[in-house]
Amino acid sequence: MRKILEIPLDEARPDQDAILETQGIPSGKELTEDVKALLERAIDLFLEFSKPKVAISDISIPGFEALYKGEGLNEQDTPLDEIITKADDLALFAVTIGERVSEEIDRLFKANEFALGSMLDSVASAGTDKAADTAESRYFDLLSEKGRITSSKGVLRFSPGYCGWHMSGQEKLFEFLRPEDIGISLLESYLMKPLKSISGVLVAGDKDIFVFDDSYPFCSECRSRSCHKRIRTLLKESRSDKKKGVM
Amino acid sequence: MDILKEISVRLQQGDDERVCELTRQAVEKKVPPRAILDEGLIGGMNIIGERYKAHEIFLPQVLLAAKAMYAGTDVLRPLFVKEGMPAIGKVVIGSVQGDLHDIGKNLVGIMLKGAGFEVIDLGNDVPPERFVETAEKEDAAVIGISALLTTTMPVMKRTVDLLEEKGLRTKIRTIIGGAPISEEFAKQIGADAYGYDSTNAVESVKRLIMANESD
Ligand code: B12
Ligand code: SF4
């Protein structure tokens, strides 16, 4: 199966806390009127300029194991090494919200509208993450239609550049998935264009296969530590709850 | 209220229109442009920088104040045509070759300008030769390089190496930053400093310039 889907904008609209985190504003902090106004305008611009799309393509476990080896540069021991052997199904994915938002951010900075430009950048980054959450939900639904998954199971994503998966993994991922069809290209530096894009693998299986310690040697250099939050969310919510939360 | 104090206060409130107006009034009243710049505009931005560092205010307020500062400096610029806008040092910044992400570098540039530096922003995907040639031509004291991904980090080393080859390593200092960069990596490639965020970047660049002056 290979699917290209447009993600409805309301499903990519990020939560306020996720946006403010990138602005360095702690969750629960009372916002001043000027910051509230900036946030609202930035969300409007995000809704005006983004076009979230996802490409999803099934891949067999042996197929992924070969792809995951990439250029042989992964860390020696990674969470995915073990998780994929216990997975039921796997799919490669890439999401993007498109180039227009980045162009608008650039324009705002050039016009000295730094606060709005920076806020839009945060909305766009959090929106891309939210679009990747939606890719997980879509994959769950696709598997559910085929009777291959039940609500006691879950889907979690992993990306090159995280958790010991070397960035050079992008090359084989792109060869297989061909996200050029949704407008994403890969530069020599393995950076994706548009900037606001995320690639990786969607892993479906029992929820407990995703429980792992963040004590790998490379975790000490990880700035995001997003595993905690994502695993916690997966363990807490059933898929249908998660979809409700997205609306 | 003294007009310079008022400029500083309005700037801290991010009131760009009022800062622009007050700067004009100060010029008309023959307040020396250098005093308007140092005490009104940069003075206000320094207070903003301190409050940001102390977590009393957040990034959006800093950036609103920066816009107000730019509005004021635009009024002053024509008055410095002959000798050029006064600056405490010149910094060439850009995102490393292969990198299209420039938000981090932009924020650093804004804070450096706010602190009174002249900033030459080369944009993104900047090859080492361009960093070095520009710094040499513009007689800049510091080159600042930003990276989003680890894969572009080796190109940062090429910039430091190029300065070495040209015998410019002690004249032009280097500072690097970005999400995957660490102090350790900066040391490893021979960069003179690492900046964790934009406030830290300003402090480090000031230190580099002071070290150069005392050499
Ligand atoms: C938001 C984010 C994203 C966003 C958007 C990225 C963007 N900036 O547009 C999205 C969700 C799209 C994304 C995608 C990806 N991301 Co990302 N992302 C982040 C995150 C959480 C924050 C980056 C950010 O924008 N911060 C806000 C800006 C303002 O900060 P900044 O650029 O770092 O700049 C500040 C400082 O670094 C410093 N600074 C910056 N430049 C300079 C220069 C000088 C001279 C100085 C002194 C200081 C300085 O001052 C700035 C202001 O405070 C970081 C982790 C983190 N917490 O840093 C990961 C991170 C950068 N991402 C990472 C990865 C791997 C990816 C992906 C490759 C994942 C994937 N496979 O899809 C993709 C790549 C996207 C692409 N186009 O190729 C990794 C990179 C690690 C690596 N191995 O290189 C990081 C570090 C997370 C991790 N694993 O720890 N990402
Ligand atoms: S801390 Fe970072 S690298 Fe380690 S498992 Fe969590 S997300 Fe992955």
Side-chain angles (χ1 to χ4, degrees):
Chain A
M1 171 210 67
R2 181 167 187 273
K3 291 254 180 218
I4 289 188
L5 304 166
E6 290 205 2
I7 298 173
L9 273 173
D10 59 350
E11 290 185 38
R13 187 192 168 117
D15 308 322
Q16 183 165 311
D17 277 358
I19 303 168
L20 297 179
E21 193 186 334
T22 326
Q23 290 278 304
I25 304 178
S27 144
K29 182 93 200 165
E30 179 82 40
L31 299 182
T32 53
E33 286 309 312
D34 49 359
V35 177
K36 269 191 216 158
L38 279 171
L39 184 61
E40 273 169 29
R41 277 206 61 203
I43 292 174
D44 285 347
L45 290 172
F46 169 77
L47 296 175
E48 184 181 341
F49 290 113
S50 43
K51 258 189 175 299
K53 282 185 189 158
V54 58
I56 301 179
S57 191
D58 276 336
I59 184 164
S60 66
I61 293 178
F64 182 74
E65 276 171 336
L67 184 142
Y68 186 56
K69 284 202 186 89
E71 313 299 309
L73 296 171
N74 290 353
E75 297 291 335
Q76 223 172 26
D77 186 18
T78 72
L80 260 184
D81 283 320
E82 206 169 309
I83 292 169
I84 46 180
T85 61
K86 297 182 195 152
D88 297 337
D89 287 283
L90 301 175
L92 298 180
F93 81 98
V95 293
T96 185
I97 59 163
E99 193 66 56
R100 284 287 287 116
V101 183
S102 297
E103 286 167 6
E104 182 61 13
I105 295 166
D106 203 35
R107 193 193 64 76
L108 287 167
F109 268 94
K110 288 195 173 115
N112 292 355
E113 294 290 349
F114 313 127
L116 185 58
S118 156
M119 188 64 86
L120 181 56
D121 187 80
S122 295
V123 176
S125 290
T128 314
D129 246 329
K130 188 80 183 230
D133 291 347
T134 306
E136 289 175 347
S137 304
R138 287 290 187 277
Y139 186 50
F140 186 97
D141 294 344
L142 291 167
L143 290 174
S144 183
E145 280 163 20
K146 291 192 212 156
R148 288 193 62 87
I149 201 162
T150 55
S151 60
S152 64
K153 299 196 176 206
V155 172
L156 205 66
R157 67 190 141 93
F158 294 85
S159 293
Y162 281 88
C163 311
W165 187 357
H166 194 264
M167 281 297 308
S168 57
Q170 290 280 58
E171 198 155 320
K172 290 208 158 48
L173 190 152
F174 265 66
E175 270 169 30
F176 189 99
L177 181 66
R178 287 174 284 115
E180 292 81 1
D181 294 349
I182 55 166
I184 310 179
S185 54
L186 190 65
L187 306 186
E188 229 176 280
S189 58
Y190 301 124
L191 192 86
M192 291 177 280
K193 197 172 180 320
L195 200 56
K196 305 295 181 193
S197 304
I198 296 179
S199 63
V201 63
L202 298 163
V203 183
D206 285 330
K207 287 182 181 176
D208 52 9
I209 70 168
F210 300 115
V211 180
F212 60 88
D213 277 343
D214 57 351
S215 55
Y216 290 88
F218 46 82
C219 294
S220 61
E221 303 214 335
C222 172
R223 277 218 188 175
S224 87
R225 305 200 86 90
S226 57
C227 56
H228 288 280
K229 201 167 109 203
R230 296 188 304 128
I231 296 168
R232 227 184 299 125
T233 313
L234 182 75
L235 293 178
K236 243 188 352 215
E237 291 175 349
S238 72
R239 273 290 136 183
S240 52
D241 289 344
K242 187 164 183 180
K243 268 168 64 190
K244 264 184 237 150
V246 159
M247 293 307 178
Chain B
M1 200 193 305
D2 161 29
I3 193 155
L4 295 182
K5 177 102 206 287
E6 204 181 343
I7 291 176
S8 161
V9 169
R10 292 298 188 166
L11 180 145
Q12 291 168 53
Q13 293 164 348
D15 189 345
D16 54 316
E17 283 171 18
R18 190 78 187 118
V19 168
C20 181
E21 244 171 62
L22 287 166
T23 309
R24 272 206 194 101
Q25 283 174 24
V27 172
E28 277 160 21
K29 285 186 185 159
K30 305 268 183 271
V31 179
R34 186 71 206 235
I36 306 176
L37 183 68
D38 289 346
E39 290 166 45
L41 302 170
I42 297 176
M45 261 328 263
N46 282 344
I47 297 174
I48 283 284
E50 289 303 319
R51 294 190 62 204
Y52 180 49
K53 212 170 113 191
H55 307 291
E56 287 169 21
I57 54 167
F58 297 100
L59 186 61
Q61 281 109 348
V62 177
L63 296 177
L64 289 169
K67 185 186 174 195
M69 160 147 190
Y70 279 44
T73 41
D74 281 349
V75 175
L76 296 182
R77 190 160 292 113
L79 307 176
F80 292 110
V81 193
K82 261 197 218 134
E83 71 271 41
M85 207 67 181
I88 52 174
K90 235 188 225 185
V91 186
V92 171
I93 59 166
S95 297
V96 67
Q97 190 168 35
D99 194 344
L100 302 179
H101 144 275
D102 45 14
I103 188 93
K105 174 266 299 169
N106 286 350
L107 297 181
V108 170
I110 291 165
M111 291 302 274
L112 284 172
K113 275 197 196 170
F117 287 96
E118 180 179 346
V119 176
I120 300 164
D121 186 345
L122 298 179
N124 56 38
D125 196 14
V126 182
E129 297 73 21
R130 224 175 127 220
F131 274 118
V132 175
E133 278 160 22
T134 313
E136 228 184 327
K137 196 173 120 226
E138 296 284 343
D139 199 21
V142 178
I143 293 178
I145 319 172
S146 174
L148 176 73
L149 299 178
T150 41
T151 43
T152 54
M153 286 159 50
V155 198
M156 291 181 145
K157 181 170 176 344
R158 277 190 19 227
T159 310
V160 180
D161 291 348
L162 193 59
L163 285 172
E164 182 80 60
E165 277 165 35
K166 294 191 153 203
L168 295 167
R169 269 287 274 114
T170 48
K171 187 170 172 258
I172 303 171
R173 302 287 176 168
T174 45
I175 177 165
I176 61 172
I181 309 292
S182 62
E183 183 93 57
E184 201 190 344
F185 177 75
K187 280 202 187 110
Q188 209 179 302
I189 67 162
D192 297 299
Y194 157 69
Y196 179 79
D197 60 18
S198 48
T199 347
N200 182 241
V202 172
E203 286 166 6
S204 301
V205 170
K206 276 186 181 163
R207 262 200 304 275
L208 289 179
I209 288 189
M210 259 153 55
N212 249 13
E213 280 166 1
S214 61
D215 276 353

